[in-house]
Amino acid sequence: MCLQYCPAQRLRFPCTSSVMAASAQHCYFTSSAVQVHPVPMLKKAQANRALQFFKVSQNPIKLPSLKEVCDQGSLKEAFQSLGSLLKLKNSSLKLSLDGAYSPVLELCANKKALSEGQQVHAHMIKSCDLYDSVFLSTKLVFMYGKCGSLLNAEKVFGRMCHRTIFTWNAMIGAYASNGKPLKALELYRDMRVLEVPLDSCTFPCILKACVALNNVCSGTEIHGVAIKYGYNKVTFVANSLASMYASCNDLDGARKLFDSMKEKEDIVSWNSIISAYSANGQSVEALKLFREMQRMCLTPNTYTFVAALQACEDSFSDKLGMEIHAAVMKSGHCLDIYVANSLLAMYLRCGKTDEAAIIFNDLDAKDIVSWNTMLSGFAQNGLYNETLQLFYDMQSTDEKPDLVSLINILAASGRLGYLLSGMEVHAYAIKNGFDSDLQLGNTLIDMYARCGCVNFMGHAFEKMPNIDFISWTTIIAGYAQNNCHTRALELCRKVQAVGLDVDAMMVESILLACGALKCVSLVKEIHGYTMRRGLFDLVLQNAVVNVYGECGYIEYANRMFELIESKDVVSWTSMISCNVHSGLANEALELCHLMKETNVEPDSIALVSILSAVAGLSALKKGKEIHGFLLRKGFILEGSLGSSLVDMYARSGTLENTEKVYNCIRNKSLILWTTMINAYGMHGNGKAAIDLFKKMEGERIVPDHITFLALLYACSHSGLIDEGKRIYEIMRSEYQLLPWAEHSACMVDLLSRANRLEEAYHFVNGMQSEPTAEVWCALLGACRVHSNKELGEIAAKKILELGTENPGNYVLVSNMFAASRRWKDVEEVRMRMKGIGLKKNPGCSWIEIGNKVHIFTARDKSHPQSNEIYQKLAQMTEKLEREVDYVAQTKYVLHNVEEEEKVQMLYGHSERLAVAYGLLKPPEGTPIRITKNLRVCGDCHHFIKLVSKVFRQVLVVRDANRFHHFEDGICSCGDFW
């Protein structure tokens, strides 16, 4: 026999080509089934035994050197030592074959070195000593089982004439460890039938199979057998039994077993029960056990610390987590990578990212789990930029990202809207074969959805080899959130067609689509479906309230809201938002008071809705109260909350406070810049709006369509014609933004207000797209002001042809006919409105006095102080007529009535009633603030100017167009509104 070196394996071993051939001949049998009954042994001539000289020796040689070499873990050195021993041919030496092969086979098993183990097996067959040794055959079964080669383990096991309990344990362990738990149980039953005596090592193997099958019944039977033979008192058997009960979700059984142990000094027992409670989400009990173990002065090991740290699952247990960290440092386990990774996970779960970063940076040897733990922790704590930066740092090391890394990076890219970053990760996943993974595919869909890339999202979904319910839910949500509402509904129908049940999350996405489509019939259908299927949890109840509100069915929303028993902040926010969107700002504020009485504190989203309601009412005092609440509660004035506060002050008529809040906000978003520009325009300060736009460009903030709309609005209401035309051109040429119909309407309004009606008409005719009703209304309004009947007639005709659903447009046409005393045409327009179910919005004005908003309509007498209000108004009118020669301008009354009645109609306008009420008890040193839902009429505008002069009172009036600041007989609009 010679020694050959195999370059492929880089090991030296006793082998020839004939040995490998013999291995194939004698080892790889045709039957793959385990033979329970003895089978004939393979016969071979004894005279040709290569190792016969080891059988007779007067001076036996012990093999401590080979055992020591194997203990050191070097396969190459172990094979060299084995080869040297097998070359000995002195018949006076006696070598134990069991002692020679056993440590090498164990080393192959531990290293999972299947190829090397097969080479040893081949040599054992060649030497023909294998089948004389039950011990070595058992070692082979064990080795093949550890290396995952069940077929070879079965063949060796099946050829054995004699088997010990160790052989049976090895085969059962091989099945249990390689995903064949049912075969492990079958083999155990065969063993019991053959009455093979059990030993303590049988139980951990077979109990592991019970865990894999989640078969607590079989586990309980085996527990009975252990009790019968007295093995339940063996510590590691008891630990295996406790672990089985815990893994099968029978914590009571596990705890009873643990409590029945008389001696609890084995750390493994404590680790098992602590891990059981931790894994089943019972963190408090797990930590109690950890405390109890400490009181018994037992020294925790790596597994103890890992289990205890896993139980510290939220911010409430961070203090105990820090105590465990201190114990780790004291015990010296801080160098253990498993404990270090558990510490990272604990701190990140508790939101302590800085502490986790310190531990991570101090780690000398980071593994892939360390990197992934940090990536997941940063992403889950909303630190998406930090997640990407950490990933870049990871790429600079030798550690390659795995599937978990990619999923976290995709999630962070999606949250940040970084499409290119997400696409790079997608490409890497395809290149490295990760793209077929189901979870990664679902994360890809979500990333593309959040980046607004609907086409790529759909493509990623279609390319997935396997899809689950989460895939369907994610793609439907993606379409619904990206305004592809019809597509979302189509996919929902497909889900039902393939036989999957729609769950609450999918219903929420479908409701979002229905709300956007204003399809209330489908909303009702889904509402009924959720109730029938028992899906109607609080989240869906809130969603149904919200979608009814979006569809304009405020009564349905209110009924649904009242049916919610345990209303949370989302419930209140949904109902408040419904009222705000329906123009019921007063009702929204009433809900705010009720929410306060139920001790539900508003969050930032609720406060945005409340501020919107306050802004709609111009309720400055209430707005200041909310501002104070924000400061007391430590809310950060950024994002939508900061923009809403700025908008509230602007729409409440105090530009000074608007500027103060705006200047206090450090991180100014595009929305905030746009809000401030709109605030200047609303108050007629067009030049300030343009200056702010230039400053925004200097900060390299890219404007959008809404920004330019606010700018054009500001120019229109300040008479800045040339500036408005220049901004319109900048939008199209420099920023490549195609004008919306609203931009065109602003340009028409800008030109028309300056009486450049022919130019405005030319602009309308030159529009690339068909002019909308709003564009023609802008022209018609100016034609009525400047008495251009010819163009007005054209504009009115176009509006009626377009058939708008906005009642205000029909009112504008009707008013033009009324101004020309064409009463028959007025009646036709009104009948047309009635035929299509449209009603004129009644004019109303309101004023905030004494923590309450008081609302007035024309000739309203519903107010408790109505008599006093009308008396005050009569006194005011008489004084104006006497001191400044006020005369009512009846041309603003567009009704076919007598002149005297027209005068009385003017006197009863809602804004005058609000002014009179404000002057009953005028506030000292502060303006009277009034809001009107329609454009203030010309006579009332003149009336309020005279009031400010005669009564020396500053008045701030907000109408549908803009703010009017009246002081000493002058209005800030310059009579240009």
Side-chain angles (χ1 to χ4, degrees), residues 604-631:
S604 59
I605 300 173
L607 288 165
V608 168
S609 295
I610 295 168
L611 284 170
S612 180
V614 171
L617 292 171
S618 295
L620 180 61
K621 190 173 181 180
K622 185 64 179 177
K624 287 182 175 180
E625 287 179 12
I626 296 169
H627 190 181
F629 176 84
L630 292 172
L631 296 175

Side-chain angles (χ1 to χ4, degrees), residues 755-763 788 790-791:
N755 200 14
R756 295 165 68 164
L757 294 174
E758 291 295 333
E759 186 178 350
Y761 183 58
H762 180 72
F763 176 88
N788 190 323
E790 184 180 350
L791 281 181

Side-chain angles (χ1 to χ4, degrees), residues 455-663:
N455 291 335
F456 285 174
M457 178 188 72
H459 186 69
F461 177 75
E462 292 167 2
K463 287 292 183 182
M464 289 176 67
N466 300 302
I467 56 176
D468 62 359
F469 194 78
I470 296 174
S471 313
W472 286 105
T473 303
T474 308
I475 190 74
I476 288 172
Y479 280 122
Q481 291 162 8
N482 284 281
N483 299 321
C484 299
H485 309 300
T486 305
R487 180 62 177 154
L489 294 176
E490 289 172 357
L491 285 180
C492 181
R493 297 293 187 196
K494 281 189 177 181
V495 169
Q496 292 177 306
V498 298
L500 294 174
D501 289 330
V502 176
D503 70 348
M505 288 185 66
M506 192 177 293
V507 168
E508 198 173 356
S509 297
I510 298 304
L511 285 172
L512 176 65
C514 293
L517 293 171
K518 301 293 187 291
C519 185
V520 74
S521 59
L522 191 54
V523 173
K524 291 179 180 179
E525 182 183 332
I526 295 167
H527 186 180
Y529 174 86
T530 55
M531 293 185 73
R532 289 194 305 273
R533 298 299 303 273
L535 301 174
F536 218 40
D537 58 5
L538 182 59
V539 174
L540 275 186
Q541 286 176 317
N542 294 337
V544 168
V545 169
N546 192 59
V547 76
Y548 275 131
E550 287 182 356
C551 294
Y553 279 67
I554 193 70
E555 289 184 9
Y556 279 75
N558 195 49
R559 287 181 196 171
M560 191 65 246
F561 175 74
E562 289 175 355
L563 289 173
I564 300 175
E565 293 181 1
S566 301
K567 299 178 179 66
D568 62 0
V569 67
V570 180
S571 312
W572 289 98
T573 304
S574 299
M575 197 62 226
I576 290 169
S577 299
C578 288
N579 282 286
V580 171
H581 294 151
S582 299
L584 304 172
N586 229 2
E587 287 79 354
L589 288 183
E590 287 177 10
L591 280 170
C592 180
H593 290 303
L594 289 173
M595 181 173 69
K596 187 178 179 181
E597 290 175 3
T598 58
N599 296 321
V600 176
E601 280 208 350
D603 58 9
S604 59
I605 300 173
L607 288 165
V608 168
S609 295
I610 295 168
L611 284 170
S612 180
V614 171
L617 292 171
S618 295
L620 180 61
K621 190 173 181 180
K622 185 64 179 177
K624 287 182 175 180
E625 287 179 12
I626 296 169
H627 190 181
F629 176 84
L630 292 172
L631 296 175
R632 288 195 308 275
K633 295 295 182 178
F635 283 92
I636 299 173
L637 297 181
E638 289 184 355
S640 57
L641 193 58
S643 301
S644 297
L645 191 62
V646 169
D647 184 58
M648 181 276 295
Y649 276 121
R651 293 169 69 187
S652 296
T654 169
L655 193 57
E656 182 182 356
N657 287 345
T658 305
E659 291 174 325
K660 284 180 181 179
V661 174
Y662 172 80
N663 292 328

Side-chain angles (χ1 to χ4, degrees), residues 316-458:
F316 297 107
S317 49
D318 60 345
K319 186 178 179 181
L320 185 55
M322 293 174 74
E323 290 178 14
I324 297 172
H325 187 182
V328 170
M329 299 290 288
K330 186 177 179 181
S331 67
H333 283 82
C334 54
L335 300 177
D336 191 311
I337 189 63
Y338 300 106
V339 176
N341 289 341
S342 296
L343 279 168
L344 291 177
M346 181 274 295
Y347 278 121
L348 290 166
R349 282 196 304 271
C350 296
K352 293 185 174 293
T353 54
D354 291 340
E355 287 82 349
I358 292 170
I359 296 172
F360 180 78
N361 292 330
D362 288 342
L363 278 178
D364 293 327
K366 303 176 179 72
D367 63 3
I368 188 63
V369 177
S370 311
W371 287 99
N372 285 343
T373 301
M374 289 300 293
L375 289 170
S376 301
F378 278 162
Q380 289 165 8
N381 282 281
L383 303 175
Y384 305 120
N385 282 311
E386 289 79 356
T387 305
L388 294 183
Q389 184 58 54
L390 187 67
F391 181 64
Y392 298 143
D393 295 342
M394 178 183 177
Q395 289 179 304
S396 65
T397 67
D398 295 332
E399 203 70 61
K400 287 189 176 181
D402 64 0
L403 184 63
V404 177
S405 315
L406 300 182
I407 288 172
N408 282 301
I409 299 307
L410 283 173
S413 301
R415 297 305 191 282
L416 292 169
Y418 289 176
L419 178 61
L420 290 179
S421 175
M423 293 178 73
E424 287 176 8
V425 176
H426 190 181
Y428 182 90
I430 294 172
K431 184 179 178 182
N432 291 274
F434 293 122
D435 57 315
S436 60
D437 180 77
L438 180 61
Q439 188 178 357
L440 185 130
N442 292 339
T443 311
L444 269 173
I445 295 170
D446 181 67
M447 182 274 294
Y448 282 126
R450 291 178 182 275
C451 292
C453 198
V454 178
N455 291 335
F456 285 174
M457 178 188 72

